[in-house]
Amino acid sequence: MAYKHPLSNSQIACIILLWAVLMIIILRRAVLSGPTLVSMFMATVLLAYPIIKSIRQRRNK
């Protein structure tokens, strides 16, 4: 299913910056155990999917 409107470049940049801040906070304060690494990986995948989908949708137009 396609999005109504793909994300703009500024929206993508904002999402990536917020993700980077979250990862920095986690890396500084959390103990790097298995569940922490899995949650970081899942957050990355859940973030990357809509961004990649939005970029592909803009290219096809």
Side-chain angles (χ1 to χ4, degrees), residues 2-40:
Y3 296 122
K4 265 188 175 180
H5 303 286
L7 297 172
S8 67
N9 288 338
S10 59
Q11 288 173 324
I12 291 173
C14 184
I15 290 170
I16 291 173
L17 286 173
L18 290 172
W19 171 82
V21 168
L22 175 67
M23 291 298 131
I24 290 170
I25 290 171
I26 290 172
L27 289 172
R28 285 182 145 194
R29 298 187 181 183
V31 177
L32 290 180
S33 61
T36 304
L37 294 175
V38 169
S39 66
M40 289 172 65

Side-chain angles (χ1 to χ4, degrees), residues 36-53:
T36 304
L37 294 175
V38 169
S39 66
M40 289 172 65
F41 176 75
M42 289 175 60
T44 303
V45 169
L46 290 172
L47 175 97
Y49 177 75
I51 290 174
I52 292 170
K53 188 173 180 180

